[in-house]
Amino acid sequence: MTEVKRVYTFGNKQAEGNATMKNLLGGKGANLAEMNLIGVPVPPGFTITTDVCTEYNTLGRDKVVELLKGEVERAMSFVEETMNAKFGSKGEAFPLLMSVRSGARVSMPGMMDTVLNLGLNDDTVKLIAEKSGNEKFAFDSYRRFIHMYGSVVMGVEAENGEHDPFEVVLDKVRDAKGYQSDAEFTVEDLKGIVDSYKVVVREKAGKDFPTNPWDQLWGAVCAVFDSWNTERAILYRRMEQIPGEWGTAVNVQAMVYGNMGENSATGVAFSRDASTGENLFNGEYLINAQGEDVVAGVRTPQEITLEGSRRWAVRGGVSEDERAAKFPSLEEAMPELYAELDAVQEKLEKHYSDMQDLEFTIQDGKLWMLQTRNGKRTGAAMVRMVVEMLKEGMIDDETALLRLEPNKLDELLHPVFSADGIDAANVLSKGLPASPGAATGKIVFSADKAEEIVENDPKAKVILVRRETSPEDLKGMYAAQGILTERGGMTSHAAVVARGMGKCCVSSAAGIRVDATKLTIDGKEYKEGEWISLNGSTGEVYEGQVPTITPSLDGDFGEIMKLADKYTRMYVRTNADTPHDAKTAADFGAKGIGLCRTEHMFFEGERIIAVREMILAENEEGRKEALKKLLPMQRSDFEGILEAMDGHGVTIRLLDPPLHEFTPNDEKSQLEMAEELSIPVEEIIAKVDALHEINPMLGHRGCRLGNTYPEITEMQARAIIEAACNLRARGLDPKPEIMVPLVGTVNELKLQEEIIRRVAEEVFAEKGLKVEFLVGTMIEIPRAALTANEIAKHAEFFSFGTNDLTQMTFGYSRDDAAKFLPIYLNKGLLKNDPFQVLDQTGVGQLVEMAVEKGKATRPDIKLGICGEHGGEPSSVEFCHRAGLAYVSCSPFRVPIARLAAAQANVRK
Ligand code: ADP
Ligand code: MG
Ligand code: MG
């Protein structure tokens, strides 16, 4: 039996792992190894694999510590040698301190916070003070360590309504001494703080702070494994569909100190702009700081580049003199180190061929890299970077296509504020443009509230207003239109998470204060429920509701779409019922209509009266009378739609829903209809009752209507063919495809086809001209899929109606599924909502079977999909593999489907 390797070391330009080992070492660990291999300076350390996390969950803590002990001790000796220091030094060497960092395959908020300065106790702190000659640095590190370890590992945190007990201690000292900033703490202050912290731990955790460095280490390592299964980590995994089996790795790494004095610093940086995609190195740093100080929003971080710093000053109204004096860029403050950092970021971007998100620390004039990863980005930045990297020759067409996340294109299609709206709007404040886009909504002050409101009314628009956000707020951030925070920089939690979600966010807005029940801006108070608007691209905060408009689709976006079209096999149609929607979709690149629902036109204006007349008619005569009134209206609708999609196929579905959807159900419309038809209202009521069905979705609907009332099909076929003839007479090129819904047996389709073709011949004879048209069916009843070979004899095309097909295959009523689907998803009984993501294993089999059987009968049968799934990337990929010619989706999903279709073809 071969020994399992559980620990991988890195350091000194060597590493046992590399970038390809993300599954085993996590993203952070794999990249720490890789950076060593390409000669980037990284503090040495070791990674405990993700497999150990799985072992931990099955074998438990004691067994896993036993399994790891030997390898970890060996790895620690390697670090000690490299650093020329000793973990738990008794005086013979400089004490080695470690950071303990979690790191899954993909970066995951909700995981354990990093613990820094591990290895400190009353003895080592004195040694460090002595050997570094910097007592203040030693005790600053010690108080940070007790705070972090106390809260992260020992669970000493604010209890309901209280403040963080460690912060309370700090506040007391600050207030007593009248300090403005933490830099003013003296060594004596820090020593006192350390003593008070120990008391806090003893009181709150019920035990003493551990003094043995090895106990500290195992405590932190196990806390990382434990954090894999916290509620917030599980929630995040569910939202992002990350499997629980992946586990997290643990990175244990030698500390480097950004808090050693004025020649030390720490920062985060991006090789390109994560908001706009501009090819401009950027980021933030703080002198004499450690760890999360830069993103915590306690001190105002400074910009790394001079260009960035100048832009920052302009945005914030800071004069050039003040900027240069108080907030100089790293480029100005430490020019040589800046040059080194700039070279490293360039090297890393080239190496990974993608925008990098970097963390670094400068210890006493020496640069260390602590992390690199492909940076999160907005949809706009994603598109711009791909187009520019393609032009630079950094990536090829296929890489470019596959790097784009189809769903993120959505952000580019969504509204921005209208120029007039902006002109008229009252600017309340200006903050950092933390995540672009426009949002308008009602103020809420807690994530739970945001979630609750949107759960009750999915159309509700709320803006989450917080002092700052934390991983607990994730769900509320998802629910909100946008996020406004009082504190935090461009790399704050709110900013980073919002960009990842494509949500608009403004942070650090000037002059605002947020507490639990109100937002105060320059003295004026705003309560929950009042409207505000945010522009995440400029940082502006507006009073009230500002109107929005749809953005343009040229430029980089156009290039991406061109590229997609070059590589795609399937084309994309749209589901549209009006000429306006057809036009919108055509602008988004739709080539035809995959589903035009005729009944959606029935509610407009006076039409519903004629529709009701038809439904309430006593006999065929009466129905025909009413249908005569509907004919010209339908004809002109079809003319409009066929014209908007001239030259492209337009699939028009014959009447589908159960008739009672159109009956007058309230007293007022019943009286209106009684008057219209000159009959007593009692008769109307009786007729409405008679139309009532126990289970309407499985009742008298679809082609069952056209087969029991053939005159309806006659009228609709006539309207379609006449519309096409009229357009042809005007020199246009209409391509109608008449679709019979809800077919389960071939005879149902056959009867409908006969009617349609007979009416068409009549119209052609009357008009003295012909147009080509197709007759086909929707495959949405399982029996149709099973007998597709028979059905294909009478169908020139199949369009998979995967909404009904899913409903009938699962036996879930789509209208009632909301009662149990969320619970099923929670319990993991289903991986996805099958109405959103096509169930490839079950429903997919029916699709594949119907494709095969349909082609066997009619090799050139035209195949497409028109369910909601036609715009969902993984379902689009399935359609590609199943051999469909096109997918059809709602207008705003057309670009997403085009990209997904191209990716499917590139990936194969
Ligand atoms: P996250 O995944 O939340 O970014 P990290 O593990 O990257 O957490 O740690 C957060 C921060 O802690 C880093 O950006 C860095 O500033 C600091 N840090 C981590 N390890 C070290 C180290 N070995 N030396 C100095 N600072 C460190
Ligand atoms: Mg990090
Ligand atoms: Mg249907």
Side-chain angles (χ1 to χ4, degrees):
M1 211 182 82
T2 49
E3 261 303 296
V4 188
K5 186 169 172 59
R6 294 187 174 83
V7 175
Y8 287 72
T9 59
F10 56 83
N12 213 7
K13 307 200 171 150
Q14 296 160 28
E16 294 179 316
N18 63 56
T20 66
M21 297 166 72
K22 289 204 170 72
N23 294 356
L24 189 64
L25 303 179
K28 201 180 283 170
N31 285 333
L32 284 170
E34 185 82 3
M35 282 197 286
N36 270 288
L37 296 176
I38 62 170
V40 170
V42 174
F46 52 92
T47 303
I48 303 173
T49 67
T50 54
D51 287 348
V52 180
C53 183
T54 310
E55 288 180 323
Y56 180 86
N57 290 329
T58 50
L59 304 177
R61 178 188 171 117
D62 294 345
K63 182 76 186 143
V64 161
V65 171
E66 189 190 311
L67 284 171
L68 281 174
K69 207 161 174 283
E71 276 185 82
V72 165
E73 281 170 3
R74 259 195 309 282
M76 191 64 92
S77 310
F78 161 78
V79 178
E80 287 174 338
E81 266 164 47
T82 313
M83 292 299 283
N84 192 22
K86 176 110 183 92
F87 189 58
S89 172
K90 296 262 170 350
E92 69 278 27
F94 196 92
L96 176 62
L97 303 187
M98 306 299 285
S99 73
V100 177
R101 320 169 64 185
S102 59
R105 279 191 213 186
V106 293
S107 115
M108 221 181 90
M111 292 300 298
M112 194 196 83
D113 288 333
T114 299
V115 173
L116 302 181
N117 309 319
L118 187 138
L120 277 170
N121 56 32
D122 291 347
D123 300 328
T124 49
V125 74
K126 279 188 207 116
L127 275 174
I128 288 185
E130 212 176 280
K131 291 187 190 268
S132 69
N134 189 340
E135 200 177 14
K136 188 169 164 186
F137 148 71
F139 281 90
D140 181 54
S141 302
Y142 198 16
R143 64 103 184 166
R144 286 170 186 271
F145 173 51
I146 300 176
H147 186 166
M148 273 190 242
Y149 195 95
S151 68
V152 171
V153 181
M154 303 181 78
V156 178
E157 278 176 329
E159 279 157 30
N160 35 9
E162 283 175 21
H163 284 296
D164 177 348
F166 296 109
E167 289 292 342
V168 172
V169 171
L170 284 187
D171 278 345
K172 257 190 210 143
V173 182
R174 278 191 205 112
D175 288 352
K177 304 276 175 104
Y179 293 154
Q180 298 298 315
S181 99
D182 291 359
E184 294 174 59
F185 287 135
T186 64
V187 174
E188 289 317 309
D189 293 334
L190 291 167
K191 284 181 177 169
I193 289 167
V194 163
D195 289 338
S196 311
Y197 273 9
K198 287 190 199 152
V199 175
V200 166
V201 168
R202 191 177 312 123
E203 276 173 4
K204 299 266 172 183
K207 56 184 166 208
D208 282 327
F209 192 82
T211 53
N212 181 318
W214 283 100
D215 292 344
Q216 294 171 355
L217 180 67
W218 291 118
V221 168
C222 294
V224 172
F225 290 142
D226 286 331
S227 74
W228 181 251
N229 284 322
T230 56
E231 207 182 310
R232 52 186 224 220
I234 292 170
L235 168 68
Y236 183 82
R237 284 206 290 276
R238 195 180 312 133
M239 288 191 299
E240 299 292 318
Q241 312 210 350
I242 296 170
E245 307 87 74
W246 281 7
T248 179
V250 187
N251 299 291
V252 182
Q253 188 180 27
M255 283 300 300
V256 288
Y257 308 98
N259 58 336
M260 252 191 178
E262 296 305 302
N263 204 16
S264 300
T266 186
V268 295
F270 298 89
S271 63
R272 299 188 189 213
D273 192 312
S275 289
T276 65
E278 184 181 358
N279 187 0
L280 182 76
F281 178 43
N282 66 97
E284 296 174 328
Y285 80 106
L286 278 174
I287 296 229
N288 197 8
Q290 195 179 39
E292 311 282 20
D293 291 357
V294 174
V295 297
V298 183
R299 278 161 66 190
T300 307
Q302 289 153 239
E303 290 285 324
I304 289 181
T305 63
L306 179 55
E307 172 69 21
S309 184
R310 291 204 165 123
R311 291 188 190 183
W312 168 85
V314 170
R315 277 201 309 267
V318 175
S319 75
E320 173 61 15
D321 287 347
E322 189 185 351
R323 182 203 69 75
K326 287 202 203 147
F327 308 100
S329 62
L330 183 72
E331 193 171 354
E332 295 157 284
M334 301 180 175
E336 277 160 28
L337 284 156
Y338 168 78
E340 203 182 318
L341 179 65
D342 192 28
V344 167
Q345 66 89 12
E346 225 184 286
K347 181 173 188 168
L348 287 170
E349 187 182 277
K350 277 222 180 79
H351 184 72
Y352 287 97
S353 311
D354 199 356
M355 185 267 276
Q356 295 300 295
D357 169 352
L358 311 160
E359 294 171 10
F360 65 92
T361 283
I362 293 167
Q363 174 182 324
D364 199 21
K366 164 138 181 64
L367 174 69
W368 296 95
M369 300 309 294
L370 294 173
Q371 191 172 339
T372 192
R373 63 180 164 200
N374 295 340
K376 288 208 162 64
R377 61 204 69 185
T378 63
M382 168 185 86
V383 167
R384 179 168 173 181
M385 284 191 281
V386 156
V387 169
E388 292 186 358
M389 287 180 182
L390 200 55
K391 284 192 185 135
E392 289 162 31
M394 187 182 272
I395 54 177
D396 59 16
D397 285 1
E398 278 89 349
T399 310
L401 279 172
L402 294 177
R403 182 169 294 170
L404 296 162
E405 282 176 62
N407 283 329
K408 274 204 159 169
L409 292 182
D410 203 42
E411 293 166 37
L412 280 79
L413 310 175
H414 278 292
V416 290
F417 289 132
S418 73
D420 290 352
I422 289 281
D423 284 347
N426 179 20
V427 180
L428 294 177
S429 169
K430 193 164 169 173
L432 293 174
S435 180
T440 182
K442 291 180 176 174
I443 296 174
V444 289
F445 294 104
S446 82
D448 288 347
K449 189 79 195 186
E451 212 188 313
E452 181 192 317
I453 290 175
V454 174
E455 219 156 65
N456 290 332
D457 174 9
K459 290 207 179 98
K461 290 184 176 358
V462 299
I463 301 280
L464 180 62
V465 178
R466 306 272 297 156
R467 189 163 288 172
E468 61 222 338
T469 64
S470 70
E472 284 100 283
D473 297 328
L474 276 179
K475 246 176 141 177
M477 293 173 76
Y478 266 99
Q481 300 290 310
I483 298 123
L484 171 65
T485 65
E486 180 186 314
R487 295 186 191 158
M490 295 293 285
T491 47
S492 66
H493 178 267
V496 171
V497 173
R499 281 201 296 273
M501 290 179 181
K503 288 261 145 105
C504 151
C505 175
V506 173
S507 67
S508 258
I512 82 165
R513 277 214 48 92
V514 179
D515 56 46
T517 58
K518 61 180 190 298
L519 160 70
T520 316
I521 306 184
D522 291 331
K524 189 167 173 203
E525 288 182 5
Y526 297 83
K527 292 268 163 53
E528 184 176 297
E530 290 188 62
W531 286 86
I532 50 164
S533 302
L534 306 178
N535 185 341
S537 310
T538 62
E540 263 135 0
V541 181
Y542 300 94
E543 200 164 44
Q545 233 176 320
V546 180
T548 53
I549 47 158
T550 333
S552 112
L553 301 171
D554 308 330
D556 292 340
F557 183 83
E559 303 253 340
I560 290 296
M561 288 293 111
K562 239 193 267 159
L563 188 66
D565 288 348
K566 184 171 151 196
Y567 283 88
T568 196
R569 180 185 62 70
M570 289 194 297
Y571 63 101
V572 177
R573 289 185 171 192
T574 192
N575 299 349
D577 310 324
T578 63
H580 174 266
D581 282 359
K583 178 90 189 37
T584 310
D587 291 344
F588 284 143
K591 301 259 184 294
I593 291 181
L595 178 61
C596 170
R597 305 168 177 93
T598 46
E599 64 274 9
H600 280 195
M601 306 156 169
F602 282 6
F603 283 98
E604 257 169 58
E606 294 293 294
R607 293 172 184 201
I608 189 65
I609 307 240
V611 173
R612 285 174 177 164
E613 243 182 274
M614 170 190 83
I615 294 170
L616 299 172
E618 273 308 306
N619 49 33
E620 194 181 322
E621 275 319 291
R623 263 193 306 278
K624 283 193 165 159
E625 258 330 285
L627 286 166
K628 235 183 249 165
K629 293 188 197 167
L630 280 172
L631 175 67
M633 304 180 201
Q634 288 243 290
R635 184 176 55 223
S636 75
D637 287 336
F638 294 143
E639 273 183 44
I641 289 176
L642 287 166
E643 184 169 356
M645 277 293 173
D646 192 44
H648 297 298
V650 172
T651 307
I652 299 170
R653 179 177 71 183
L654 300 180
L655 192 62
D656 182 50
L659 291 181
H660 75 87
E661 284 190 16
F662 307 107
T663 52
N665 295 320
D666 57 306
E667 204 176 329
K668 183 170 159 279
S669 42
Q670 286 170 349
L671 283 170
E672 187 182 81
M673 282 314 296
E675 204 169 299
E676 184 73 30
L677 301 174
S678 331
I679 51 174
V681 73
E682 289 73 27
E683 272 183 45
I684 304 278
I685 296 171
K687 189 83 198 183
V688 171
D689 278 350
L691 281 168
H692 173 79
E693 290 179 293
I694 306 287
N695 202 342
M697 290 320 279
L698 298 174
H700 195 186
R701 59 171 287 223
C703 69
R704 298 159 206 170
L705 291 170
N707 279 324
T708 49
Y709 304 136
E711 53 278 7
I712 298 179
T713 304
E714 279 170 12
M715 182 279 285
Q716 292 203 297
R718 178 168 281 276
I720 296 166
I721 301 294
E722 284 185 357
C725 286
N726 291 350
L727 294 181
R728 171 55 48 80
R730 284 168 46 204
L732 300 179
D733 181 22
K735 294 196 153 104
E737 300 172 0
I738 302 176
M739 178 157 75
V740 180
L742 222 69
V743 162
T745 71
V746 64
N747 287 334
E748 287 177 304
L749 176 61
K750 192 166 165 244
L751 186 53
Q752 291 294 291
E753 190 202 8
E754 276 165 22
I755 297 169
I756 296 163
R757 294 206 187 274
R758 172 172 50 77
V759 169
E761 287 310 319
E762 286 166 19
V763 175
F764 293 155
E766 288 160 24
K767 299 266 177 185
L769 63 90
K770 279 190 179 225
V771 288
E772 271 178 39
F773 67 98
L774 302 179
V775 178
T777 185
M778 202 130 158
I779 301 286
E780 53 185 335
I781 290 184
R783 193 181 189 283
L786 295 166
T787 59
N789 48 334
E790 292 176 14
I791 288 176
K793 285 184 198 148
H794 295 274
E796 292 172 298
F797 66 86
F798 285 167
S799 173
F800 289 95
T802 47
N803 298 344
D804 266 311
L805 192 60
T806 299
Q807 173 161 262
M808 295 196 220
T809 303
F810 276 88
Y812 295 164
S813 151
R814 191 149 71 120
D815 305 301
D816 302 306
K819 294 212 177 81
F820 58 87
L821 271 188
I823 301 170
Y824 269 37
L825 293 169
N826 257 336
K827 293 197 168 172
L829 295 177
L830 286 174
K831 227 173 127 204
N832 295 300
D833 175 347
F835 292 107
Q836 281 171 23
V837 178
L838 186 78
D839 162 46
Q840 299 184 13
T841 354
V843 179
Q845 270 193 58
L846 287 170
V847 173
E848 284 166 339
M849 177 189 297
V851 166
E852 195 181 309
K853 292 191 171 207
K855 278 188 178 161
T857 302
R858 191 189 289 266
D860 65 343
I861 191 164
K862 190 167 187 174
L863 300 166
I865 180 179
C866 64
E868 300 294 319
H869 306 99
E872 191 281 317
S874 71
S875 312
V876 171
E877 176 160 6
F878 170 81
C879 293
H880 172 87
R881 276 188 274 118
L884 304 194
Y886 69 85
V887 297
S888 186
C889 55
S890 60
F892 272 88
R893 300 208 62 89
V894 167
I896 296 169
R898 286 167 75 191
L899 176 57
Q903 290 184 332
N905 202 29
V906 168
R907 225 175 254 138
K908 66 153 191 254

